[in-house]
Amino acid sequence: CRQAWTGKLGLDLAKRRFELAEQLEHGADGALDEKLGSALDYTHALNENAEYTDAVNLGRQTLATFRKVAQPDDPNLLHALGMLAHAYMHTRQYSEALPLLTEQLETLRGQAGAGAADNPRMLGAAHDLATLHTQMQNYELALPLMGEVLAASRRLRGDRDPMTLCNCFVHFSCFSS
């Protein structure tokens, strides 16, 4: 089933999948992928349900495992970086989130090459890093990133698209802070 459950039900389902994955025999075919995938989903559900301390703890463990078994540009490792960074942001541990989001964005920019300006994953990472810089009151660092995201959103979606308008609001809110 590909239904994206949310709330308490989503959290309970993610937790149970994680518990079952942890019981898989080490070395069994697909066991590591299932363990890591379920850990990412559970971390996401914890974040979504404001259980940030648990999200940070599981996110740290998951990222440490990904760093041991995956290449630096593995999409799941990059997802784990972002997931842990969001948990840190929710707990106002900005200095912990900053290197994670910076690494994520730099890696995605390296992967995207010439098409980086319009790569949705790279733009999402730029938006997240700009948001973090805004929260840290590093406006001189946030503004160029948000300008990049806004320009791409206008190019890809048009000026009247809701996401463009949202990006425009975030960009200009940096000026008013």
Side-chain angles (χ1 to χ4, degrees):
C1 175
R2 289 285 172 202
Q3 172 66 41
W5 298 100
T6 60
K8 175 91 169 91
L9 178 59
L11 178 62
D12 290 344
L13 288 170
K15 180 180 181 180
R16 185 64 183 140
R17 177 180 171 217
F18 176 73
E19 291 168 347
L20 291 172
E22 287 299 300
Q23 295 173 12
L24 293 173
E25 187 176 319
H26 183 71
D29 190 37
L32 182 61
D33 288 340
E34 179 58 21
K35 287 180 180 189
L36 292 172
S38 68
L40 283 174
D41 288 348
Y42 189 30
T43 303
H44 176 77
L46 289 165
N47 266 332
E48 292 294 312
N49 285 275
E51 296 189 22
Y52 305 124
T53 301
D54 291 339
V56 165
N57 292 334
L58 182 57
R60 282 181 186 150
Q61 294 169 7
T62 304
L63 180 58
T65 303
F66 268 114
R67 288 199 188 280
K68 290 178 189 171
V69 301
Q71 296 296 316
D73 62 349
D74 183 283
N76 288 319
L77 185 142
L78 297 174
H79 186 62
L81 286 168
M83 198 66 58
L84 178 55
H86 282 119
Y88 280 137
M89 289 170 68
H90 286 297
T91 57
R92 301 190 192 295
Q93 296 179 65
Y94 302 136
S95 62
E96 299 290 335
L98 183 60
L100 300 175
L101 290 178
T102 301
E103 178 183 348
Q104 183 187 46
L105 179 58
E106 288 174 358
T107 303
L108 286 166
R109 280 192 170 145
Q111 286 178 344
D118 294 338
N119 180 300
R121 292 184 67 214
M122 194 279 306
L123 291 170
H127 183 276
D128 290 346
L129 185 56
T131 299
L132 175 61
H133 281 305
T134 300
Q135 290 172 337
M136 297 175 73
Q137 299 182 348
N138 294 333
Y139 304 117
E140 69 284 354
L141 299 173
L143 281 170
L145 290 167
M146 279 313 303
E148 182 181 333
V149 172
L150 178 58
S153 188
R154 292 175 112 171
R155 207 173 33 256
L156 297 171
R157 295 186 173 107
D159 287 335
R160 296 188 182 271
D161 181 82
M163 280 304 294
T164 299
L165 295 172
C166 178
N167 288 329
C168 187
F169 172 78
V170 172
H171 178 72
F172 290 110
S173 70
C174 293
F175 288 108
S176 65
S177 298

